[in-house]
Amino acid sequence: MGPFPLGRPARLAVFASGRGTNLEALLEAFPQGHPLGEVVLVVSDNPEAFALERAKRRGVEAQVLPWRGRRAFEEGALALLAERGVDAVLLAGFMRLLSPRFVVPWYGRLLNLHPSLLPDYPGLRVHERVLAAGERETGSTVHFVDQGMDTGPILLQGRVPVLPGDTPQALEARVLRLEHRLYPKAVRLLLLGLAFPPPSDLEERLGEEAARAFRALSPREKPLYLRAWALLKAWGREDLVGPAFLGRAGLWGRAAFLAAHLLGGSDPALLEEVAELPPEVRAQVEGALRVESSA
């Protein structure tokens, strides 16, 4: 399980290489004094990045680490993060691939935002490729960074339609508007302890049958199950996680999955279903939704 919640405001660093519009959304969502976390540092490999100006306007420390090779950049970044006591690193338009030397010690606390519904369309020129393939839907993915390119476990996804006549520029703008809401929401889930990468010892934690069932899920399905796991743990019912993954945890398992769905995005039909739960169970679901929405 992950290191969050911390019991204090998390100290967040954002790495950005360009305009910094997603940085702006994070700065607005996590300002100084926010009880869940605050952006305390912005790092760029590009001295001309407008992201640096956005940070300075809000009184957030902005540091340039010019790219003189991966090793030199990572050494400087790791030292800076340690000096500033950073708890989580958020990549927002950061156009460099980090090595295992950086990623491994930050795994589970290092997020990236990619403008497609991963695992589809990793890499560059996403919107051109989506249009060329004739897709009718696209979106964005917040994921944990691992040692590959856009391959880490998915934390949260959002979707938008592809409309007739769309250009890559129109699609990029639509996805970007989605990302300005999606990334802060994903960070809230992380800091609340409601999102974490799959543990390596699943069999020990869940039992062999439930672990097999979880491993068989698609990458897009797994975040829902992990949120349900976090909720059952928070409700003092972690012993029901394995049965819940197998559909054998009764009302508490159903409640955890309803809440997990709703934490990913509102749904009137599911909210009606929550209202029909027994009072004790309903109170836990409604409490989880209140905590996330007010964070």
Side-chain angles (χ1 to χ4, degrees):
M1 309 289 277
F4 302 103
L6 298 175
R8 58 168 173 80
R11 295 174 61 80
L12 309 174
V14 182
F15 285 18
S17 298
R19 296 174 297 170
T21 62
N22 275 308
L23 165 65
E24 188 73 37
L26 293 167
L27 289 166
E28 186 171 335
F30 301 102
Q32 185 175 4
H34 192 285
L36 195 58
E38 57 185 80
V39 177
V40 299
L41 176 66
V42 172
V43 176
S44 183
D45 61 315
N46 175 12
E48 305 301 318
F50 190 66
L52 297 165
E53 180 62 27
R54 292 182 189 273
K56 292 172 184 175
R57 288 178 181 179
R58 291 191 177 254
V60 173
E61 180 182 4
Q63 291 279 355
V64 179
L65 295 176
W67 192 264
R68 299 189 178 97
R70 183 173 289 109
R71 185 175 184 84
F73 176 88
E74 291 179 350
E75 285 179 353
L78 288 168
L80 191 58
L81 295 172
E83 290 168 4
R84 301 301 187 268
V86 168
D87 299 302
V89 177
L90 315 174
L91 307 183
F94 182 68
M95 303 306 292
R96 305 286 185 177
L97 187 63
L98 297 167
S99 76
R101 182 172 179 270
F102 187 98
V103 170
V104 169
W106 281 93
Y107 185 63
R109 300 180 294 150
L110 176 62
L111 303 185
N112 185 45
L113 179 68
H114 182 75
S116 79
L117 294 171
L118 292 173
D120 296 341
Y121 305 103
L124 303 175
R125 297 181 56 252
V126 169
H127 306 301
E128 291 93 332
R129 290 156 58 204
V130 165
L131 291 171
E135 300 285 2
R136 292 292 175 261
E137 186 177 55
T138 186
S140 188
T141 302
V142 181
H143 66 93
F144 293 98
V145 177
D146 65 5
Q147 299 178 41
M149 178 183 285
D150 303 324
T151 55
I154 293 168
L155 192 164
L156 189 66
Q157 293 186 311
R159 297 169 181 267
V160 295
V162 180
L163 303 178
D166 267 344
T167 63
Q169 294 75 24
L171 200 54
E172 178 184 15
R174 188 175 306 129
V175 171
L176 192 59
R177 285 191 287 270
L178 165 69
E179 290 177 340
H180 294 165
R181 302 188 306 275
L182 185 73
Y183 210 174
K185 183 178 186 66
V187 175
R188 286 196 298 273
L189 292 175
L190 174 75
L191 299 182
L192 288 166
L194 295 173
F196 51 91
S200 58
D201 57 345
L202 286 173
E203 283 78 9
E204 292 178 25
R205 292 172 177 267
L206 303 178
E208 289 188 7
E209 186 181 4
R212 266 197 316 273
F214 178 81
R215 293 188 197 280
L217 297 171
S218 74
R220 293 178 185 169
E221 292 174 304
K222 288 177 179 176
L224 175 72
Y225 280 66
L226 293 171
R227 286 198 296 275
W229 184 342
L231 288 161
L232 286 167
K233 181 180 179 182
W235 298 343
R237 298 180 180 273
E238 194 171 10
D239 59 308
L240 293 179
V241 172
F245 282 16
L246 297 169
R248 303 170 187 166
L251 277 174
W252 284 106
R254 179 168 157 237
F257 277 104
L258 283 170
H261 271 289
L262 289 165
L263 286 168
S266 184
D267 184 311
L270 295 185
L271 287 170
E272 289 180 12
E273 195 168 341
V274 168
E276 296 171 355
L277 292 171
E280 179 191 5
V281 182
R282 184 177 71 242
Q284 294 286 5
V285 174
E286 291 173 344
L289 299 179
R290 276 196 306 273
V291 167
E292 192 283 326
S293 64
S294 64

